Amino acid sequence: MRIEIVAGTWIELQQDAKGIREQVFIKEQNIAPSDEWDALDAVSTHFVLYQDQQALATARLLADNSIGRVAVLKAARGQNLGLALMQFVIDHAKQHGRLSVQLSSQVHAMAFYQRLGFMAEGAEYLDCNIPHIRMCLVF
């Protein structure tokens, strides 16, 4: 199986990224479309992971070094695709002179991000009625 990860603008990757995010966040996690779609998409770097030319995972990197909207289609989970995508995003951030990255992790996903070296910071909080925690990775 061939994996390719592409970085680009929202205009370039919207079609594939939007489909993944609709499946994971809106349909699976019942997040309201008005909470999912925001003006930050237009100014973020987006990433889509393709396996055999099929879009299976996505994430975005904001100018403030925040990684967000990390999603892997349900059928593709358990294959370390999320780890491959996140490592690509981290490497991209390093190559572009960023000194750290942070994210807002759903609490159930903390161990996933800890495998990549992220450390939890502060107390849990609710975002879209889902428990989250801030996590940071300093290079």
Side-chain angles (χ1 to χ4, degrees):
M1 294 201 198
R2 189 165 162 270
I3 291 175
E4 179 186 15
I5 302 172
V6 176
T9 66
W10 185 238
I11 291 169
E12 294 166 332
L13 296 175
Q14 175 179 2
Q15 184 174 346
D16 291 336
K18 194 169 188 176
I20 295 165
R21 286 168 50 183
E22 283 175 346
Q23 278 297 124
V24 173
F25 297 124
I26 295 171
K27 292 181 179 164
E28 246 183 80
Q29 298 184 355
N30 296 312
I31 291 172
S34 59
D35 288 327
E36 177 58 25
W37 310 120
D38 61 28
L40 296 175
D41 278 326
V43 295
S44 298
T45 301
H46 292 267
F47 303 85
V48 176
L49 179 146
Y50 299 89
Q51 185 176 59
D52 298 328
Q53 299 182 334
Q54 183 179 2
L56 300 178
T58 191
R60 72 180 185 186
L61 177 63
L62 284 68
D64 70 357
N65 302 328
S66 294
I67 298 171
R69 303 304 201 264
V70 179
V72 178
L73 290 177
K74 193 172 197 170
R77 293 181 196 150
Q79 302 174 48
N80 292 322
L81 299 178
L83 284 172
L85 175 64
M86 282 298 299
Q87 193 59 62
F88 187 92
V89 174
I90 291 165
D91 291 345
H92 179 91
K94 287 179 184 176
Q95 290 165 5
H96 287 82
R98 307 201 192 198
L99 303 177
S100 65
V101 287
Q102 73 254 347
L103 51 82
S104 178
S105 171
Q106 293 184 6
V107 169
H108 74 84
M110 281 178 63
F112 168 78
Y113 294 111
Q114 287 169 329
R115 286 175 64 188
L116 290 155
F118 282 84
M119 304 288 285
E121 295 180 344
E124 289 182 21
Y125 55 92
L126 287 178
D127 187 4
C128 297
N129 293 315
I130 299 170
H132 282 71
I133 193 155
R134 179 179 151 79
M135 299 188 81
C136 188
L137 174 63
V138 178
F139 307 139

